[in-house]
Amino acid sequence: MAPTAPRPQVISVRPVTLPAPSRGQDLEVRITAPTTGTDLPVIVFAHGFGQSMTGGDPLVDHWTANGFVVVQPTFLDAKAYGLTLEDPRYPTIWQTRVDDLERVLDDLDQVIDAVPGLSGRVDTARLAAVGHSWGGQSVGMLLGARVLDADGRPGEDRTDHRVRAGVLLSTTGIARGDLAPFAQEHFAFMSPDFSQLHTPSLVVAGDHDQSQLSTRGPDWFTDVYHLSPGARHLVTVHGGEHLLGGIQDYESTATTDESPERVDLVRHTTTAFLRTELGLDPDAWSAIADAVGPDTADAAGPAASVAAGPAAAVGHIESKEHQS
């Protein structure tokens, strides 16, 4: 048996506390980074509903092993905080999430300084934002998405041009009048407009992700790809549900579609996309796109599936011709 290559060492610090007087409590952040290397790019990762800065290790471990610094804020909806729908902050918690992300970007040097030996080794100009589920909605606003008001007018533009690339994982789609009653009542922000999302982005969705918040099927999670000019590629995870095979943690009881192969697909496609978009490796995305391949369901014969590579059994990639 061939020897296993040693895994790069990483260091993680939490919590790094950023003052946030208007928030009701200070913002806590985790930062994880390789112990070696220079000019390291940065990923700000936004967790989904009820989660926290400790989530997403199957992705964070892969990203840091590939030379990224990962910064993870804990939002007010984290289960540990126990906020309820009756809390006066809840109606605007979706806006506070975006404020939190902006605070992280504004105070990024302070966060980096919390890790011994990291200052001076980070290229903060190579900055990406990744979000899962509600985190995808939050990150989407930094990329250019806006929220429609009750009259269908776009709300505040929160685009942040410091973010050079985005990844949207299991990110909810447009309202179109088909939100479930609970979502209509409590989640008015789930009425996005993607027409101004111009930041280069990758969308990842599971083709078995049936949300209780919408009467539509898994295609709901692909809206941002089809309706935004910035979304360049769509990775569809075959059999993937909302946690895309288990991206939240290594032993999550919430994962109903557990699959190391699905998680690997998310790991490798997101890493390749960001390495290319941040100018680290111009060939990284084309290599993974060739390995995974397009949808071969309607291709001519089994040879097409073989040509697409073994990862075709796990998922497929679509790209917009004018941006590929």
Side-chain angles (χ1 to χ4, degrees):
M1 179 181 295
T4 302
R7 295 179 63 182
Q9 288 187 324
V10 301
I11 184 170
S12 186
V13 175
R14 67 176 173 94
V16 180
T17 302
L18 303 178
S22 63
R23 188 176 183 265
Q25 57 201 94
D26 290 337
L27 175 62
E28 293 187 331
V29 176
R30 177 173 80 156
I31 177 170
T32 307
T35 58
T36 60
T38 58
D39 297 322
L40 303 172
V42 180
I43 296 172
V44 177
F45 180 59
H47 65 73
F49 173 76
Q51 298 166 11
S52 73
M53 62 179 166
T54 62
D57 278 350
L59 298 181
V60 173
D61 288 349
H62 187 80
W63 292 332
T64 53
N66 282 272
F68 287 89
V69 174
V70 183
V71 181
Q72 298 169 266
T74 293
F75 301 116
L76 287 176
D77 54 274
K79 290 180 181 178
Y81 292 152
L83 266 68
T84 66
L85 294 172
E86 288 70 37
D87 191 291
R89 292 172 289 178
Y90 212 94
T92 57
I93 201 169
W94 63 277
Q95 294 167 308
T96 304
R97 275 174 152 261
V98 184
D99 294 340
D100 291 344
L101 291 171
E102 292 283 4
R103 184 171 284 106
V104 168
L105 299 184
D106 291 342
D107 296 338
L108 192 55
D109 287 341
Q110 177 182 338
V111 176
I112 291 169
D113 287 344
V115 180
L118 186 58
S119 182
R121 296 199 294 118
V122 182
D123 184 355
T124 55
R126 284 187 165 127
L127 177 64
V130 179
H132 173 248
S133 192
W134 198 356
Q137 189 271 345
S138 306
V139 164
M141 297 193 70
L142 299 185
L143 308 179
R146 297 168 74 175
V147 172
L148 302 176
D149 65 17
D151 296 320
R153 295 172 300 198
E156 183 181 7
D157 182 2
R158 300 295 302 269
T159 306
D160 193 312
H161 296 288
R162 291 174 291 185
V163 179
R164 289 177 51 182
V167 176
L168 303 173
L169 308 167
S170 303
T171 298
T172 55
I174 63 175
R176 256 196 290 215
D178 50 16
L179 291 180
F182 182 84
Q184 293 177 25
E185 181 179 358
H186 296 290
F187 302 138
F189 64 87
M190 293 181 67
S191 183
D193 173 19
F194 297 128
S195 64
Q196 299 305 308
L197 195 160
H198 289 282
T199 307
S201 302
L202 173 70
V203 178
V204 183
D207 63 8
H208 280 53
D209 189 355
Q210 179 59 60
S211 175
Q212 295 182 353
L213 299 176
S214 172
T215 57
R216 286 174 56 197
D219 68 297
W220 191 43
F221 294 96
T222 69
D223 281 354
V224 62
Y225 171 71
H226 295 292
L227 300 175
S228 75
R232 298 187 171 187
H233 313 284
L234 169 65
V235 176
T236 299
V237 181
H238 296 167
E241 298 179 8
H242 203 59
L243 291 181
L244 301 171
I247 63 171
Q248 171 58 20
D249 57 51
Y250 289 107
E251 297 180 356
S252 175
T253 57
T255 300
T256 53
D257 63 332
E258 186 173 0
S259 166
E261 294 79 13
R262 293 182 185 120
V263 174
D264 270 347
L265 178 66
V266 179
R267 285 170 170 157
H268 290 288
T269 53
T270 56
T271 301
F273 174 77
L274 293 177
R275 286 185 60 79
T276 292
E277 288 300 326
L278 296 180
L280 300 165
D281 182 352
D283 299 320
W285 176 256
S286 59
I288 195 69
D290 288 343
V292 177
D295 187 3
T296 58
D298 299 320
S305 182
V306 173
V314 185
H316 68 271
I317 293 174
E318 299 173 44
S319 296
K320 295 176 180 175
E321 292 184 2
H322 68 288
Q323 293 175 320
S324 57

